[in-house]
Amino acid sequence: VFARLGHSHPETRRRLDRLLQRISQTLPGHALFPALADLETLTTGSEDNGETEKDARRHQLERIVTSAGSERATLARRLVKGLNRIATLPEDRWIFLIRQLLADLPSRAKLFREQFGILEACAKGGGVKGGGTNGARNRALAEVFEVYSDVVRPLVIQMTELADKTIRGRPGSYTAHEEAFKAQFGIQILRMLHLLRFPPHLSAPSHEHKDTRDKNSQTASKAAGTIFMSAVWERLSTAAHKLKRELALSHILDLRKASPFLASWGEESEFLTPRTVLSYEGGVGVHVRGLAIAGMRPTISIETFEPNVEILATKTRPKKIEIRGTDGNPYRYLLKSQEDLRLDQRIMQLLRVTNQLLKSQYPDIRSRRASCDLQARTYHVLPLSHSSGLIQWVEGMKPLFDFYKKWQERAAIQMERKMEAKTPDSSTSVPESNKPMIPSPLDEWSRAVAVRTKEAGLKDGLN
């Protein structure tokens, strides 16, 4: 229904709008959090559909949110904001941005050299020569600096916007964790940004280069620009390594410093208790669900958040949070960032529908057992924005790749021992270059496909 809110027919849009408002009134969890996630996407996304259409969609979503009740909507907004703040910590955002800049910098350096070549060709065509004078050198430097500024402007804009959010915000707008990051890395980041905007080799002529007057000024400036592009790479790489080194030491996040609001969840508020507001039957939200007692699904909501949040040592640094339900049991979720979980949510919805269809074909237990009880186990996914969300932590599970990796290691050891047994001198170890290579899962799969397709009379594997 949310996907059809932008329907081309006005009457269809109005009917869908009213339908979601009624759902938000009776079952807030089904409409409240999806509406807030879409609102977050409209606020931070880069859609080019025109302001009028975006404003109309925003008004629709606001009506759906407020239909759940002003107090409930206010609390849910603060809840989503608190979770998003933990999902994308300032250090995570800077590491992600610096990685993007490092990946983009080689193409920027190439563009800089191409633009400089055009500038150099124009200068030669117009009869402008280096001449060795300070005036000619200053003009060459100014032209090179202008080219450089055009090339690095997108990088500077991205870094400036993030610095405004994480370092140069108004006092009192940061949590204790964000203040600690600002104190530790703020000056270094601002210095790096200043050097990126105003490179010392290009912004003004220097007396250190008097011995280059007999050379072409633009050629010398081009060398200085190339050197500085390398220096930019080095600074960004150093900043990324330092951030990663510091963050490698911290695997536990103190919720009281990162989000005081979530840390104090469940305490008596001046206007209401969160437990009362977010308690509802069977909705899709951050509330706890999935229990079945005598065929009934009880109403379980958030009691408290555990104060310690585990940070997993993977690329996007997801957070493992634990919620204490009103039934007294712990419920764990994976809080992910830099990833759109709306597709994951749709896949889980598809699997649930498939399970219902399979169950309807075999209504009695005996028939279901005869059909091997065809059911897919699902988990709950809650997008909080276009780049963050919650995934239910499935207990007692192990990735299939872990088993394959252990088999791979055992196979490598066995093959290495066989090679050592064939070596006449047992005291000599097998060189690294001669050690057996265990194929990856993709290689194993491709080999198996090639064998089967050949047996079936097909050529070239997939043809």
Side-chain angles (χ1 to χ4, degrees), residues 167-413:
I167 298 173
R168 295 189 290 216
R170 57 183 177 83
S173 61
Y174 296 123
T175 63
H177 180 86
E178 292 165 345
E179 287 287 357
F181 172 83
K182 178 181 174 182
Q184 186 174 4
F185 297 103
I187 295 177
Q188 300 173 33
I189 290 174
L190 292 178
R191 186 183 294 123
M192 180 176 63
L193 179 58
H194 180 77
L195 290 174
L196 188 62
R197 294 179 62 187
F198 305 106
H201 294 85
L202 298 178
S203 57
S206 173
H207 295 291
E208 298 175 1
H209 300 283
K210 290 182 179 179
D211 57 339
T212 63
R213 289 178 180 178
D214 57 335
K215 299 179 181 180
N216 185 284
S217 297
Q218 290 182 340
T219 303
S221 301
K222 178 182 178 182
T226 305
I227 291 172
F228 183 75
M229 292 299 284
S230 301
V232 171
W233 176 282
E234 183 179 351
R235 289 190 185 98
L236 289 174
S237 299
T238 302
H241 288 313
K242 185 170 183 179
L243 271 170
K244 289 166 67 175
R245 187 170 57 250
E246 293 290 335
L247 297 179
L249 303 175
S250 59
H251 299 291
I252 300 297
L253 178 68
D254 190 346
L255 193 62
R256 292 165 294 189
K257 295 181 179 179
S259 178
F261 172 70
L262 295 183
S264 61
W265 188 277
E267 298 177 1
E268 288 292 337
S269 169
E270 293 181 0
F271 55 95
L272 76 167
T273 60
R275 178 172 58 187
T276 303
V277 171
L278 291 184
S279 179
Y280 50 87
E281 176 76 21
V284 179
V286 292
H287 68 294
V288 184
R289 58 173 297 190
L291 296 184
I293 301 176
M296 299 288 290
R297 177 172 293 166
T299 299
I300 303 172
S301 57
I302 302 171
E303 178 73 25
T304 58
F305 286 87
E306 290 299 313
N308 293 327
V309 176
E310 182 181 352
I311 302 176
L312 304 187
T314 58
K315 186 176 180 180
T316 57
R317 287 170 44 89
K319 285 75 179 175
K320 184 181 178 182
I321 64 173
E322 184 174 311
I323 298 173
R324 184 71 57 175
T326 50
D327 61 345
N329 293 322
Y331 297 86
R332 297 173 184 87
Y333 291 85
L334 191 66
L335 181 59
K336 302 194 73 174
S337 64
Q338 310 301 339
E339 190 172 341
D340 193 345
L341 297 182
R342 288 176 290 186
L343 178 59
D344 299 65
Q345 186 186 44
R346 297 295 183 269
I347 292 173
M348 290 299 108
Q349 291 171 350
L350 174 63
L351 290 176
R352 292 189 188 103
V353 172
T354 304
N355 287 343
Q356 291 295 327
L357 292 174
L358 290 171
K359 189 179 293 186
S360 64
Q361 288 184 352
Y362 306 100
D364 59 279
I365 297 177
R366 185 176 300 175
S367 299
R368 286 204 298 272
R369 287 176 179 172
S371 66
C372 301
D373 195 13
L374 297 176
Q375 295 287 308
R377 182 172 180 180
T378 60
Y379 51 85
H380 303 293
V381 180
L382 176 69
L384 299 173
S385 69
H386 68 291
S387 61
S388 65
L390 286 168
I391 296 179
Q392 181 188 4
W393 188 272
V394 182
E395 301 289 349
M397 294 291 143
K398 199 170 184 67
L400 189 60
F401 184 76
D402 287 359
F403 296 100
Y404 181 87
K405 192 68 176 176
K406 289 182 179 180
W407 169 84
Q408 199 177 40
E409 293 170 354
R410 288 196 303 269
I413 292 173

